[in-house]
Amino acid sequence: MNVLDLVRDNIKNIKPYSSARDEYKDATSESMIFLDANENPYENGVNRYPDPQQNDVKDLLVTIKNVAKENILLGNGSDEVLDLIFRAFCEPNKDNIITLPPTYGMYSVLANINAIENKKVLLTEDFQPKVDQILDAANNNSKILFLCSPNNPSGNSFSTEKVETLLNNFKGLVVIDEAYIDFSEQESWLNRLEEFPNLVITQTLSKAYGLAGIRLGVCYASKVVISILNSIKPPYNVNELTQQKAFERLKKVDEVEAEIKAIKQEREQLMNSLKSINFISNIYPSDCNFVLVKVDDASKRYNQLIQLGIVIRNRTTQPLCDNCLRFTVGTTAENKKLLQALKELQNA
């Protein structure tokens, strides 16, 4: 597959905006006087524009993820990364994407914003892709297939065999959203990035790394795809404070791993304890930092928990999620309060 054949014609020939710091690469040199970017010259820590390529953060990701720097793009949250993919590869009012509900809602929102048809192929009852139906739904204008694995809101990972089949047979990009991969026992598809020219992987520092407040998303793809996305991204899309905070956190590998381990242990304890709640009829397997459960009346239980000061997510409006609630795994104390509240509601 030649990925360039998937790119919009107007993007192929675009001349990227060249920022002042792109033109001078050694922007961190303390010996230089910078009079190129019309910045306020009085130093306060953030008076200069940030590194437009976020080199320090990428250097750490190269080591942590064992992937080449040329295969990395950073964005203002994963949502910006996803939007860039839409704008680079999908022609408005012509092309389509394929999504697999129930799944992350921003795929549909971004499709609407970019005037792209969203073809929906429901997952199976056990939340796995229907490979034959997906391939049947695709046509010459199907540019992107979105696979959220581990999946939100169901919590499970997709079958490796099914994903392989889709990567080998879908004629567009296959975007695997791995926002929750750090909580899964399944290996990341990053390990096989070089095998598939149409594979794009998105991850985030919002979940396992505990940096939801700084909004930093990561895209891993071939050098060709990353080059295309770099050509259309805003020049300084990741601010200096975000880069600094991400750099500090990424250096704390042991601390992050300890937190992930604790969350996974809490998840298992929570799932075991939920079995005793009489209005919960199903606890779905989870490779994420949340648990999806089926209850007698999701809207009723959601409102009752709100009254008790506990905010969860009501997923009953999503396909295949009738009367389902989603519990994020909290601290030990938070999970105990959730369980206590659920026990109080058993006779309510």
Side-chain angles (χ1 to χ4, degrees):
M1 172 187 292
N2 187 349
V3 173
L4 286 174
D5 293 337
L6 301 173
V7 182
R8 294 171 59 191
D9 288 338
N10 65 312
I11 301 298
K12 289 178 183 177
N13 303 315
I14 199 170
K15 183 178 180 180
Y17 176 80
S18 180
S19 70
R21 293 300 123 83
D22 276 320
E23 294 173 358
Y24 178 71
K25 301 300 182 183
D26 192 16
T28 59
S29 174
E30 295 181 1
S31 65
M32 303 300 292
I33 296 174
F34 293 104
L35 303 177
D36 57 337
N38 304 329
E39 299 152 324
N40 184 320
Y42 297 103
E43 181 63 45
N44 62 19
V46 289
N47 59 306
R48 300 294 181 184
Y49 284 106
D51 175 4
Q53 291 300 324
Q54 309 93 36
N55 284 290
D56 288 345
V57 177
K58 286 181 180 177
D59 287 341
L60 283 178
L61 288 172
V62 166
T63 301
I64 295 170
K65 300 293 185 176
N66 193 29
V67 62
K69 197 171 181 177
E70 64 188 16
N71 299 124
I72 305 174
L73 175 96
L74 300 183
N76 182 13
S78 295
D79 294 336
E80 182 188 44
V81 171
L82 294 171
D83 188 47
L84 289 172
I85 295 170
F86 268 95
R87 288 192 281 154
F89 293 95
C90 295
E91 192 67 43
N93 300 306
K94 176 185 176 183
D95 290 333
N96 65 76
I97 64 164
I98 297 178
T99 61
L100 314 181
T103 192
Y104 182 45
M106 276 303 294
Y107 311 144
S108 181
V109 171
L110 290 169
N112 288 331
I113 291 172
N114 288 283
I116 305 300
E117 179 188 3
N118 180 11
K119 292 189 172 187
K120 299 179 180 180
V121 180
L122 290 183
L123 295 172
T124 63
E125 290 292 331
D126 59 347
F127 301 117
Q128 289 292 331
K130 297 176 181 176
V131 174
D132 291 341
Q133 288 91 325
I134 292 167
L135 296 176
D136 287 343
N139 57 29
N140 291 334
N141 293 324
S142 298
K143 291 296 184 68
I144 309 172
L145 168 63
F146 286 98
L147 305 178
C148 187
S149 180
N151 187 45
N152 179 15
S154 60
N156 66 299
S157 296
F158 291 160
S159 157
T160 299
E161 181 181 357
K162 292 180 185 295
V163 174
E164 281 182 353
T165 302
L166 291 168
L167 281 165
N168 284 316
N169 291 278
F170 184 72
K171 303 305 180 183
L173 295 181
V174 177
V175 177
I176 302 182
D177 185 342
E178 291 190 338
Y180 300 96
I181 191 63
D182 297 288
F183 304 106
S184 175
E185 298 304 317
Q186 191 173 92
E187 287 191 0
S188 167
W189 282 90
L190 269 181
N191 300 322
R192 304 182 63 183
L193 186 62
E194 295 182 1
E195 289 184 46
F196 306 100
N198 61 332
L199 173 59
V200 177
I201 298 165
T202 61
Q203 294 185 0
T204 179
L205 270 67
S206 294
K207 310 300 181 183
Y209 285 86
L211 297 179
I214 72 169
R215 310 304 303 128
L216 186 64
V218 189
C219 176
Y220 301 96
S222 69
K223 180 180 178 180
V224 174
V225 170
I226 295 300
S227 177
I228 292 165
L229 298 179
N230 268 322
S231 73
I232 66 170
K233 80 171 185 66
Y236 302 109
N237 62 322
V238 179
N239 71 71
E240 179 65 23
L241 297 177
T242 288
Q243 292 188 44
Q244 290 177 13
K245 195 68 176 179
F247 184 79
E248 293 169 5
R249 182 63 162 159
L250 286 169
K251 288 193 296 183
K252 299 178 180 178
V253 175
D254 292 342
E255 183 177 304
V256 172
E257 289 181 351
E259 290 180 9
I260 293 171
K261 182 179 179 180
I263 290 171
K264 291 166 73 173
Q265 289 174 342
E266 286 293 331
R267 179 184 67 195
E268 299 311 308
Q269 292 175 11
L270 177 62
M271 293 176 72
N272 286 330
S273 298
L274 289 172
K275 295 175 183 177
S276 66
I277 306 302
N278 61 16
F279 58 81
I280 293 179
S281 58
N282 196 4
I283 303 166
Y284 295 93
S286 178
D287 273 342
C288 299
N289 66 332
F290 61 80
V291 180
L292 187 74
V293 303
K294 191 176 186 67
V295 299
D296 55 350
D297 186 332
S299 295
K300 172 185 173 181
R301 301 305 181 182
Y302 172 82
N303 289 323
Q304 287 176 329
L305 286 170
I306 289 288
Q307 293 299 314
L308 294 174
I310 298 176
V311 182
I312 60 167
R313 201 74 193 272
N314 185 355
R315 298 284 74 189
T316 192
T317 59
Q318 302 301 303
L320 306 175
C321 294
D322 184 46
N323 280 323
C324 284
L325 300 175
R326 194 189 72 193
F327 304 138
T328 301
V329 178
T331 63
T332 301
E334 289 171 334
N335 295 333
K336 285 182 178 179
K337 288 181 179 179
L338 170 63
L339 290 165
Q340 181 180 350
L342 292 172
K343 290 175 182 177
E344 289 178 12
L345 296 176
Q346 288 190 108
N347 299 317

